[in-house]
Amino acid sequence: MPNKIFDIELRLLVDAIYLKYHFDFRGYADASLKRRLTAAMLRFGCATLSQLQDKVLHGAAVFPALLDYLTVQVSEMFRDPAYFRSLRNEVVPLLRTYPSLKIWVAGCSAGEEVYSLAILLREEGLLERTVIYATDINPHALKRAEAGVYDLERIAGFTTNHQNSGAHSSLSDYYTAAYGRAVFDKSLRKQIVFSDHSLATDSVFAEVHLVSCRNVLIYFDRTLQDRALGLFSSALCRKGFLGLGSKESIRFSSSADAFDEFVREDRIFQKKAA
């Protein structure tokens, strides 16, 4: 019975969040929501989700803080270096054929993947003719992403990933270090547009040549995954590219027939010409 009550309260809470704040978590995987909301209950001193719902609805400062629990904030630069190596070796040569490029990083969190792509494109001589759209539903994450500031203790891991991605330069060329922080070069941000966007409720906003949405769909249920993949398919130009996380796939989605596998082991797909 307690588990059943928790499930009922969970549905009521996500409905309340949608109705009051217009953030839609109704299509997120239950297992993920349960883990995050259990942690949030401890943070806000609530014995039940109903108590948490009361605070969310009546405390103006509570929902922004809760949003950090509901959205994924874990990433690193050049995460899964093989993915970026495949982009560099297999995708970039085809992107060179376009006079200008648009790239969408969906679910950009604090910006680690966005800066990874910007650095890769700078190394390949493509950044100056590229616009990168970096989107997320969490405004706090977007502010951190736009700042481009990371704890210096994380840089060693970022540097190793960068080297393993087939880098042509040193990561230290792109940041300055001071007071325990690494601040990434403002010239990288000149090509990036940071904006809020929800894969659950919003529509396509541009035609792009590459969509990179990695380790986001795993937190969605099948219906929301299908919606997101449909958005990506609609946004991509013919023969554009889609990059997903290592545990994600387009198989069984309604968009599966729109793509060919391009680099199977690194989850890179290419939209069909027709």
Side-chain angles (χ1 to χ4, degrees), residues 22 33 79 90 97 116 120 144 193 198 227 247 261 264:
H22 310 295
L33 282 176
R79 181 181 183 180
E90 308 297 335
T97 64
S116 300
L120 186 154
R144 291 194 292 271
V193 177
S198 170
R227 184 186 196 278
K247 297 181 180 178
E261 287 184 325
R264 175 183 294 183

Side-chain angles (χ1 to χ4, degrees), residues 45-259:
C46 299
T48 66
L49 285 181
S50 293
Q51 292 179 6
L52 181 59
Q53 178 178 312
D54 182 69
K55 289 191 175 186
V56 167
L57 291 177
H58 299 287
V62 174
F63 179 68
L66 179 63
L67 194 57
D68 285 338
Y69 285 88
L70 292 173
T71 55
V72 180
Q73 302 295 312
V74 179
S75 188
E76 58 188 45
M77 292 190 70
F78 294 93
R79 181 181 183 180
D80 301 324
Y83 170 78
F84 290 93
R85 191 163 56 247
S86 289
L87 287 181
R88 189 188 301 274
N89 295 334
E90 308 297 335
V91 176
V92 163
L94 297 174
L95 294 181
R96 289 188 195 281
T97 64
Y98 294 96
S100 62
L101 295 168
K102 292 181 180 179
I103 293 174
W104 179 12
V105 180
C108 71
S109 188
E112 292 91 340
E113 182 167 335
V114 178
Y115 289 106
S116 300
L117 282 169
I119 290 168
L120 186 154
L121 292 167
R122 170 70 59 78
E123 291 176 332
E124 298 297 332
L126 293 177
L127 182 59
E128 280 61 39
R129 54 181 163 120
T130 302
V131 175
I132 303 175
Y133 298 101
T135 66
D136 202 275
I137 65 171
N138 188 328
H140 296 149
L142 284 170
K143 286 182 180 178
R144 291 194 292 271
E146 192 163 7
V149 179
Y150 302 99
D151 291 339
L152 201 57
E153 63 187 21
R154 304 180 66 195
I155 295 299
F158 293 174
T159 299
T160 299
N161 288 346
H162 177 236
Q163 292 169 345
N164 291 336
S165 75
H168 302 327
S169 61
S170 171
L171 189 66
S172 61
D173 295 338
Y174 302 101
Y175 68 86
T176 56
Y179 305 106
R181 298 292 184 91
V183 182
F184 277 80
D185 195 329
K186 290 182 179 179
S187 67
L188 298 173
R189 298 200 287 279
K190 285 175 62 178
Q191 306 304 123
I192 305 171
V193 177
F194 294 94
S195 180
D196 62 286
H197 183 277
S198 170
L199 295 173
T201 58
D202 294 339
S203 58
V204 170
F205 55 87
E207 183 179 64
V208 299
H209 302 86
L210 167 67
V211 174
S212 192
C213 181
R214 306 179 64 243
N215 307 300
V216 175
L217 300 187
I218 54 174
Y219 299 105
F220 295 172
D221 66 17
R222 184 62 59 83
T223 300
L224 186 50
Q225 287 181 15
D226 204 59
R227 184 186 196 278
L229 290 168
L231 288 178
F232 301 153
S233 179
S234 297
L236 283 166
C237 65
R238 17 183 330 269
K239 306 194 81 173
F241 296 93
L242 169 64
L244 300 179
S246 60
K247 297 181 180 178
E248 298 168 333
S249 176
I250 62 173
R251 186 180 297 179
F252 306 123
S253 77
S254 61
S255 300
D257 291 341
F259 291 92

